[in-house]
């Protein structure tokens, strides 16, 4: 059966999550009813052990997407500006070796648990579990060998006017310290309207915790074009989860009103990023989970809008999840060179990761991330582009 939403919603209610929305917005106009281009597969290099890495190219409704079987990585995502000029709006590399050795999760699928778990520990059904620790004393994005560092099985498909990829990965019992064998299926779909839809599914043979997400770094002016501080962001959230010095939630749900964390009305990201708020100082910018006003919903609802005034490009995100991690690219340091041959510096991109809250297994008041045998983890996020 499906993961018990009543339990999860009750957890959200306990956390004080209100049931309001930002509105659904309008999808980009369809460019025609004909099916998009069938996914095209091409070599992208080899791993050190000789494993072949491939790239799939998809195009539909004015959106062009390139995906690797390494970590389910979105290597490139191209959309037009207000004049119809295309640009790749996601950060990435041209070489598989860079993805293996250097990447800060560029475009990757994240699991088994997106975001941080304090000290890499949690207790489930009375048993303590020690996870891989890879972020100081904490576990981040599934540990040192998370889902982003594995080869996924990929099946291309066309369905009606949609095109896409089914990606499969099985995480064995004990991998990175997580209990249970988790069978994961993630579907990337490009619709005839040019929307990029992600559907996540997972089942387990033993009680475990799951929190899957996508880690695309966005710059709507084009990757390598410079700062995103002039991008305008709106998030439908009156609360966020403050963190300690290790970026682990304290358990408090703090109000955004009167703080730099208030994005209830669209504003430039750079307006308050240097406000000197204690939370920003320790995170070197924004790197926090927003508690979405709508809570957990049966279907995706619009929760955030990002706009680049220069190009006119917009990104609208809809999800059924209760949280959104907004990360302002604080740790990009100029040492990485991307697909356009330009270096990426601090604040040159941002991430908007739909999710359950960080460190939820250690906070009884947060929405639960527990998955049990017989249940199916399901969640959907939809990206709508416009100009």
């Amino acid at each position: 059966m499906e993961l018990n939403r009543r339990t999860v919603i009750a957890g959200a209610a306990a956390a004080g999550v209100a049931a309001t929305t930002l509105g659904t917005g309008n999808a980009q106009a369809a460019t025609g009813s004909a099916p998009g281009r069938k996914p095209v597969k091409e070599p992208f290099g080899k791993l050190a052990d000789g494993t072949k890495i491939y790239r799939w190219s998809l195009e539909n409704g004015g959106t062009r997407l390139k995906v690797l079987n390494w970590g389910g990585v979105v290597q490139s995502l191209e959309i037009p500006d207000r004049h119809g000029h295309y640009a790749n709006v996601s950060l990435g590399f041209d070489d598989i070796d860079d993805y293996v050795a250097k990447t800060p999760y560029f475009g990757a699928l994240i699991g088994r648990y997106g975001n941080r778990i304090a000290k890499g520990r949690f207790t489930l059904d009375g048993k303590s579990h020690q996870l891989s620790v890879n972020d100081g004393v904490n576990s981040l994005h599934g540990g040192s060998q998370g889902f982003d560092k594995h080869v996924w099985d990929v099946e291309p498909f066309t369905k009606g006017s949609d095109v896409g990829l089914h990606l499969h990965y099985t995480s064995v019992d004990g991998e990175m310290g997580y209990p249970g064998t988790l069978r994961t299926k993630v579907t990337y779909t490009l619709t005839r309207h040019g929307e990029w839809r992600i559907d996540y599914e997972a089942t387990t043979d033993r009680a475990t915790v799951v929190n899957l997400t996508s880690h695309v770094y966005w710059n709507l002016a084009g990757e390598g074009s410079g700062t995103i501080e002039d991008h305008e962001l709106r998030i439908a959230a009156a609360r966020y989860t403050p963190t300690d010095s290790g970026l682990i939630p304290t358990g408090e749900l703090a109000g955004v009103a009167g703080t730099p964390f208030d994005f209830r009305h669209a504003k430039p990201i750079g307006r308050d990023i240097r406000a000197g708020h204690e939370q920003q100082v320790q995170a070197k910018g924004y790197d926090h989970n927003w508690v979405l006003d709508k809570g957990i919903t049966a279907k995706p609802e619009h929760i955030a809008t990002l706009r680049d005034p220069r190009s006119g490009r917009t990104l609208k995100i809809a999800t059924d999840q209760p949280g959104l991690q907004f990360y302002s690219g604080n740790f990009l340091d100029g040492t990485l060179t991307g697909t356009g041959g330009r270096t990426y510096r601090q604040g040159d991109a941002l991430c908007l990761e739909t999710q359950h809250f960080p460190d939820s297994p250690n906070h009884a008041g947060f929405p639960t991330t527990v998955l049990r045998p017989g249940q199916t983890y399901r969640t959907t996020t939809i990206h709508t582009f416009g100009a």
Side-chain angles (χ1 to χ4, degrees):
M1 64 180 179
E2 186 176 355
L3 180 59
N4 190 329
R5 288 192 176 275
R6 182 176 299 173
T7 301
V8 179
I9 292 170
V17 180
T20 61
T21 66
L22 190 64
T24 57
N26 294 320
Q28 181 182 13
T31 58
S33 58
R37 187 177 73 177
K38 182 179 179 180
V40 176
K41 179 182 178 182
E42 61 183 329
F44 192 75
K46 295 181 181 180
L47 302 180
D49 65 1
T51 301
K52 295 180 180 179
I53 301 301
Y54 294 96
R55 179 172 67 181
W56 280 259
S57 298
L58 301 81
E59 184 172 352
N60 203 9
T63 300
R64 302 166 181 168
L65 180 66
K66 294 182 178 180
V67 177
L68 307 181
N69 61 335
W70 173 256
V73 162
V74 171
Q75 192 253 345
S76 173
L77 195 152
E78 298 179 57
I79 55 174
D81 65 9
R82 61 167 64 93
H83 302 296
H85 300 142
Y86 275 82
N88 174 19
V89 297
S90 66
L91 272 57
F93 298 119
D94 276 331
D95 188 285
I96 186 58
D97 293 339
D98 286 341
Y99 280 107
V100 173
K102 301 179 181 180
T103 183
Y105 306 100
F106 284 158
L109 284 174
I110 301 299
R112 183 178 301 195
Y113 197 98
N115 221 302
R116 295 172 175 87
I117 294 181
K119 298 182 180 179
R121 299 175 188 164
F122 69 92
T123 299
L124 179 58
D125 296 338
K127 183 174 181 179
S128 179
H129 298 275
Q130 178 62 58
L131 308 175
S132 165
V133 171
N134 63 327
D135 183 48
V137 300
N138 302 315
S139 183
L140 173 66
H141 294 331
S144 60
Q145 296 292 318
F147 286 8
D148 60 296
K149 296 179 178 65
H150 290 276
V151 176
W152 290 62
D153 293 327
V154 179
E155 301 174 39
F157 70 87
T158 59
K159 183 178 180 181
S161 58
D162 296 340
V163 298
L165 303 171
H166 297 303
L167 300 101
H168 301 265
Y169 176 68
T170 297
S171 175
V172 298
D173 183 28
E175 184 174 274
M176 295 293 101
Y178 287 92
T181 294
L182 191 79
R183 300 185 184 279
T184 305
K185 175 184 177 183
V186 179
T187 301
Y188 290 166
T189 303
L190 284 187
T191 74
R192 68 185 183 94
H193 300 292
E195 297 164 322
W196 175 39
R197 176 182 176 122
I198 310 176
D199 292 286
Y200 305 87
E201 296 181 26
T203 59
T204 185
D205 61 0
R206 183 181 172 194
T208 190
V209 294
V210 185
N211 190 30
L212 306 180
T213 192
S214 171
H215 209 291
V216 172
Y217 283 69
W218 301 101
N219 185 323
L220 296 184
E223 66 82 31
S225 65
T227 182
I228 47 80
E229 289 191 10
D230 59 348
H231 281 39
E232 297 166 353
L233 178 64
R234 187 181 183 195
I235 304 174
R239 295 173 180 163
Y240 76 106
T241 52
T243 65
D244 63 19
S245 59
L247 302 183
I248 298 294
T250 63
E252 178 189 6
L253 301 182
V256 301
T259 78
F261 294 85
D262 192 349
F263 285 90
R264 290 174 294 175
H265 300 283
K267 68 177 181 180
I269 290 168
R271 177 181 295 174
D272 299 323
I273 201 168
R274 292 173 177 81
H277 191 285
E278 177 187 2
Q279 285 289 306
Q280 291 175 297
V281 171
Q282 66 185 18
K284 296 180 171 48
Y286 295 108
D287 193 2
H288 295 78
N289 170 70
W290 269 253
V291 180
L292 299 175
D293 291 340
K294 71 175 186 62
I296 296 170
T297 46
K299 62 182 181 179
E301 295 185 11
H302 177 212
I303 51 88
T305 298
L306 181 69
R307 178 178 179 269
D308 170 40
R310 289 178 289 171
S311 66
R313 294 187 183 94
T314 61
L315 164 63
K316 295 181 179 180
I317 296 179
T319 187
D320 49 17
Q321 292 288 277
L324 179 75
Q325 186 82 9
F326 165 36
Y327 167 58
S328 54
N330 314 327
F331 298 103
L332 297 174
D333 60 5
T335 62
L336 303 177
T337 301
T339 52
R342 302 180 182 90
T343 57
Y344 298 144
R345 298 187 179 276
Q346 186 180 52
D348 278 358
L350 67 126
C351 300
L352 297 169
E353 305 154 62
T354 56
Q355 61 179 14
H356 271 55
F357 303 169
D359 201 34
S360 286
N362 294 311
H363 293 273
F366 285 3
T368 182
T369 56
V370 174
L371 180 70
R372 298 185 180 279
Q375 299 176 336
T376 299
Y377 171 98
R378 290 191 179 95
T379 180
T380 298
T381 294
I382 301 172
H383 307 80
T384 302
F385 306 103

